[in-house]
Amino acid sequence: MNIESLLYSVKQAEVVQVCQELVKLKSVNPPGDELQVAEYVASFLEKAGLKVELVSHSPTRASVLARLKGSGEKPALLFNSHLDTVPVGNEKWKHDPFGGVVAEKKIWGRGAADMKGGLAAMLMAAKIISEAQIPLQGDLVLAATAGEEVDSTGAIAIAGRKDLGPMQAMMIPEPSSNDVFTAEKGALWLEITTKGKTAHGSMPEEGHNAVMRMIYLINELQKQNFDFKEHPLLGGFSQSINTINGGVKTNVVPDYCVVTVDIRTVPGQDHQEIVRRVENLITELSRKDPELDATVRVTNDRIPVETLPDEPLVQKFLDVVAEVTGKRTAPKGARYYTDGAAFVPVLKIPMIICGPGDAKLAHQPNEFVEVAKLVESVKIYTLAAAKFLL
């Protein structure tokens, strides 16, 4: 059959409706509560003819693993979208963040860009492929995962399964404005705590000020040079101290202070070595100041992931994007992380990121996805699935 004819099956009204319905289902993380949206995804894919499993994580949290069987002559193709979103925030929105409002040729709401738009497009592509009853040589596997915004609970659970079978590649519809990303930065989040001794604010010499010890520590941390090699798609290493909390009252010397540090790494950097460097710094500073009592804890650890741009599967996907959009672009790198950090090290397969959302809108108020980009992405995924699996 002429697989390009599949693109005539892409109906704008249908994919817009699916995206709207997904946005209306709250799955804010924390706490997660992805069960309702997971059940929607499972029901949609079952009706489309896929074999579906609801993967439970807790009474309120679940992921979905679905499969459209092929003959087994080729390895499977994995599509992965996460189900959770970040919180709405305190800023007033132009439209109800859970309304799925369509206005200005855009669908508005929390998660529209990151990444319920990509999820909707992925679901529609699977439906089109299934209903076309194409004799696939490889399985089309969909993983709709819980927890990507915090700890990748769903991705870790699914990646570790023994029944996934061989895979040729994974495609992630994270926001990229339908550009192709083949690399993502790693994320290493540290929580550093300093302890002190309380005293009356009028007699600070009687206490040990944990906040002042923290200021001393983070100033020294900022001076550290962490080795890295500039990456052609991702750039370099970064660290940012993003939260600080200490003390209980203005007239009480603080006996604790906690900061969190967001470190973004590039391929070639060792996260364990970075943690050791921070621990060694604390040890060194404690020798100089015996009253410095500090500890460090890792709260998020996602390794950097990259697929070489000249990988044949990447080039094949770029051909698909060019066929749909009329433009052939070079692969780029994502500063954010995805569930690819959980899947790729285990499955050892190429990763491609391509989604309809705009990455600059992720986690922002007034989030939206353009209808035209959404429809375009359905065509990209449908054509890619057919060409990879036929």
Side-chain angles (χ1 to χ4, degrees):
M1 67 171 294
N2 178 10
I3 60 177
E4 280 73 10
S5 65
L6 288 169
L7 303 185
Y8 295 112
S9 301
V10 178
K11 299 294 188 288
Q12 176 175 304
E14 190 173 4
V15 67
V16 167
Q17 181 182 348
V18 172
C19 185
Q20 286 180 288
E21 290 172 350
L22 289 169
V23 169
K24 290 176 182 178
L25 295 172
K26 294 182 182 180
S27 52
V28 174
N29 192 14
D33 293 337
E34 297 97 342
L35 180 60
Q36 192 177 13
V37 68
E39 289 174 337
Y40 174 96
V41 169
S43 175
F44 182 96
L45 292 174
E46 279 180 337
K47 290 175 183 174
L50 280 75
K51 182 181 178 182
V52 178
E53 178 186 350
L54 194 68
V55 182
S56 178
H57 307 300
S58 79
T60 59
R61 308 193 68 188
S63 299
V64 179
L65 181 62
R67 187 181 295 263
L68 182 63
K69 288 290 292 180
S71 65
E73 298 168 69
K74 288 184 176 181
L77 176 65
L78 174 63
F79 280 7
N80 163 239
S81 292
H82 64 82
L83 301 171
D84 55 329
T85 72
V86 296
V88 170
N90 296 322
E91 189 171 331
K92 184 175 176 60
W93 284 52
K94 185 175 181 179
H95 300 286
D96 178 358
F98 299 108
V101 173
V102 179
E104 303 169 40
K105 299 181 180 179
K106 302 167 184 173
I107 304 167
W108 299 77
R110 175 52 85 216
D114 181 20
M115 63 178 301
K116 288 181 175 177
L119 173 60
M122 181 180 88
L123 297 180
M124 284 301 305
K127 180 174 185 282
I128 291 168
I129 293 289
S130 178
E131 291 181 347
Q133 297 186 328
I134 305 171
L136 301 177
Q137 294 183 53
D139 296 356
L140 177 60
V141 179
L142 277 69
T145 48
E148 188 268 355
E149 296 291 0
V150 175
D151 56 10
S152 285
T153 295
I156 291 169
I158 291 174
R161 292 173 61 127
K162 304 300 183 184
D163 59 349
L164 283 183
M167 300 275 176
Q168 58 177 292
M170 77 175 298
M171 208 289 298
I172 307 175
E174 287 276 15
S176 73
S177 299
N178 288 341
D179 284 338
V180 176
F181 295 172
T182 58
E184 63 181 56
K185 280 194 170 186
L188 177 63
W189 295 355
L190 305 181
E191 180 185 89
I192 302 175
T193 302
T194 52
K195 298 177 183 178
K197 177 186 174 186
T198 59
H200 196 284
S202 66
M203 295 175 282
E205 70 279 0
E206 297 296 322
H208 301 310
N209 192 312
V211 170
M212 296 307 297
R213 262 64 185 189
M214 181 63 78
I215 292 172
Y216 170 53
L217 174 54
I218 61 179
N219 280 338
E220 293 300 314
L221 178 62
Q222 295 286 75
K223 297 175 185 177
Q224 298 296 302
N225 291 316
F226 294 94
D227 294 334
F228 70 91
K229 183 178 180 182
E230 193 87 6
H231 191 274
L233 301 182
L234 298 173
F237 167 91
S238 69
Q239 65 168 324
S240 180
I241 297 165
N242 290 344
T243 71
I244 184 165
N245 180 40
V248 292
K249 205 177 176 192
T250 303
N251 63 347
V252 177
V253 173
D255 64 350
Y256 79 93
C257 185
V258 180
V259 301
T260 58
V261 188
D262 184 347
I263 295 172
R264 302 293 167 135
T265 58
V266 294
Q269 290 189 284
D270 183 336
H271 286 193
Q272 291 184 341
E273 176 59 27
I274 292 172
V275 175
R276 280 195 294 270
R277 284 279 303 277
V278 176
E279 290 172 337
N280 290 342
L281 174 65
I282 290 172
T283 300
E284 179 185 334
L285 296 178
S286 297
R287 290 195 189 103
K288 297 177 181 178
D289 179 3
E291 291 179 354
L292 176 66
D293 183 358
T295 56
V296 60
R297 182 171 74 92
V298 176
T299 60
N300 192 9
D301 188 357
R302 320 264 186 140
I303 65 167
V305 179
E306 69 171 333
T307 298
L308 296 179
D310 58 0
E311 165 73 43
L313 286 169
V314 171
Q315 295 301 314
K316 190 173 182 178
F317 191 85
L318 288 168
D319 290 341
V320 169
V321 174
E323 186 171 341
V324 172
T325 66
K327 298 180 297 181
R328 198 177 203 284
T329 58
K332 300 178 181 179
R335 291 187 179 185
Y336 54 73
Y337 60 75
T338 74
D339 274 339
F343 280 106
V344 172
V346 176
L347 302 181
K348 302 189 185 310
I349 53 176
M351 174 195 74
I352 297 165
I353 299 169
C354 178
D358 182 341
K360 292 179 182 177
L361 297 173
H363 303 187
Q364 295 286 334
N366 298 315
E367 185 179 353
F368 63 79
V369 63
E370 295 179 14
V371 171
K373 288 288 186 183
L374 187 63
V375 173
E376 187 177 77
S377 64
V378 180
K379 294 179 180 180
I380 291 170
Y381 308 156
T382 301
L383 196 57
K387 292 201 170 186
F388 277 55
L389 296 173
L390 281 176

